[in-house]
Amino acid sequence: HYTFWRGYLSPELLVMGAFGVLALSTYRLLRERSAVALLGVVVGGLGVGLIKPYVLFPYILAVAAWIYADRAWKAGEVVKIRPAYLVFALLFAAGGIAVMGSLFPQFGVNKVAETVANQQALWQQTDGGSNMDLGSEDARTLASQLPFLPIALINALFRPALFEARNAPMLGAALETTAIAVGVVSVIWRYSWRATQRVIFRSPLLVYSVVFVLTFSVAVGLATSNLGSLSRYRVPMMPFYVTALLVLARRLREERRMSVTRQGAA
């Protein structure tokens, strides 16, 4: 047991493989509605649920966002609220979360804040050179966890920083997060927020990736108060995080190039 879970074959790598099957099968199911894709969703979902069930919760929210973006925001149309599609997406998300909460009660809506608070208390009792002061065992409601959301999000998306690296693995993680932070700042600096939103909203896959990364970051960031462990726990979201940033930057460049070309032709 120790060799399996603490050796080279880590649970994060296993769940990333299972989640890859789940995500690809979900895409094909929504596009093709095939029995093979449905089987892939079941197999991938079981794999994730057996190893890291909390990953399924941001996945459900991301799928709901994908469905809404795919149905409501067509290419070339004005981005606006579509009530019917919005209600359907909300019902899908609420139903999915309710089902997952019944299967995994510790992550249910009425228990998730208590589960997070217990995790925060455990981290505070653990000695570690890269521990962070985050949360409180007294914050056992969703409302009481809200003040910790911004720092949890920043921790999961951009830490550790280079100056926080204490060993070789943390240095590798710090180089990764620093490169990503530079990429995020570069996109924000070079392009307007409106253009960025427009590109994201017009791509259901980008909407899916952004929602998954943000919700996963909040969940893992709140429940993890150690930078080393955080770098490991966020592994399942990293392919979507990096790919979304690269695709977003490329599409923004293409949109700007096309805009310049149209202005020149005019």
Side-chain angles (χ1 to χ4, degrees):
H1 183 275
Y2 180 86
T3 302
F4 180 78
W5 291 113
R6 299 303 180 190
Y8 293 105
L9 196 58
S10 70
E12 284 73 28
L13 293 178
L14 290 175
V15 78
M16 188 165 64
F19 189 74
V21 174
L22 175 61
L24 180 60
S25 299
T26 300
Y27 174 80
R28 289 179 173 172
L29 179 64
L30 292 172
R31 287 300 189 196
E32 304 167 7
R33 295 174 175 80
S34 68
V36 175
L38 179 59
L39 178 62
V41 170
V42 173
V43 172
L46 285 174
V48 174
L50 290 172
I51 305 170
K52 298 283 186 179
Y54 63 83
V55 178
L56 294 174
F57 290 81
Y59 158 77
I60 290 171
L61 296 177
V63 171
W66 192 97
I67 292 173
Y68 179 71
D70 186 56
R71 299 297 188 275
W73 296 327
K74 300 298 183 182
E77 293 185 2
V78 176
V79 174
K80 60 182 180 180
I81 301 298
R82 317 275 180 168
Y85 292 125
L86 181 59
V87 170
F88 176 78
L90 291 175
L91 289 175
F92 178 90
I97 294 298
V99 171
M100 289 297 101
S102 65
L103 294 174
F104 309 102
Q106 69 273 32
F107 300 118
V109 174
N110 60 332
K111 286 286 187 179
V112 64
E114 182 178 342
T115 300
V116 169
N118 290 336
Q119 287 296 114
Q120 292 168 345
L122 287 174
W123 283 114
Q124 290 171 1
Q125 298 169 12
T126 303
D127 293 329
S130 57
N131 280 357
M132 302 172 288
D133 184 15
L134 175 67
S136 168
E137 61 181 325
D138 298 325
R140 294 184 172 272
T141 65
L142 292 175
S144 60
Q145 286 289 335
L146 286 178
F148 306 118
L149 291 186
I151 187 62
L153 192 61
I154 292 172
N155 288 345
L157 292 176
F158 303 118
R159 293 182 72 186
L162 286 174
F163 62 85
E164 295 175 308
R166 298 176 179 273
N167 50 49
M170 281 193 68
L171 177 60
L175 289 172
E176 177 184 64
T177 52
T178 300
I180 291 173
V182 170
V184 171
V185 171
S186 176
V187 167
I188 295 175
W189 183 267
R190 295 181 61 187
Y191 306 99
S192 69
W193 178 240
R194 177 176 293 183
T196 302
Q197 285 182 311
R198 182 170 61 249
V199 169
I200 292 175
F201 290 156
R202 294 285 165 74
S203 171
L205 285 177
L206 277 178
V207 170
Y208 171 93
S209 297
V210 170
V211 171
F212 178 75
V213 168
L214 292 179
T215 53
F216 190 97
S217 296
V218 168
V220 174
L222 281 176
T224 311
S225 300
N226 178 276
L227 289 176
S229 298
L230 179 61
S231 298
R232 186 172 73 253
Y233 294 159
R234 68 176 170 219
V235 163
M237 82 171 193
M238 294 309 293
F240 298 92
Y241 187 14
V242 175
T243 302
L245 180 60
L246 293 174
V247 171
L248 176 61
R250 179 175 62 82
R251 292 190 178 181
L252 283 167
R253 287 196 301 270
E254 291 174 351
E255 186 175 270
R256 173 173 288 185
R257 191 181 304 115
M258 291 175 60
S259 177
V260 171
T261 301
R262 286 195 296 267
Q263 291 177 3

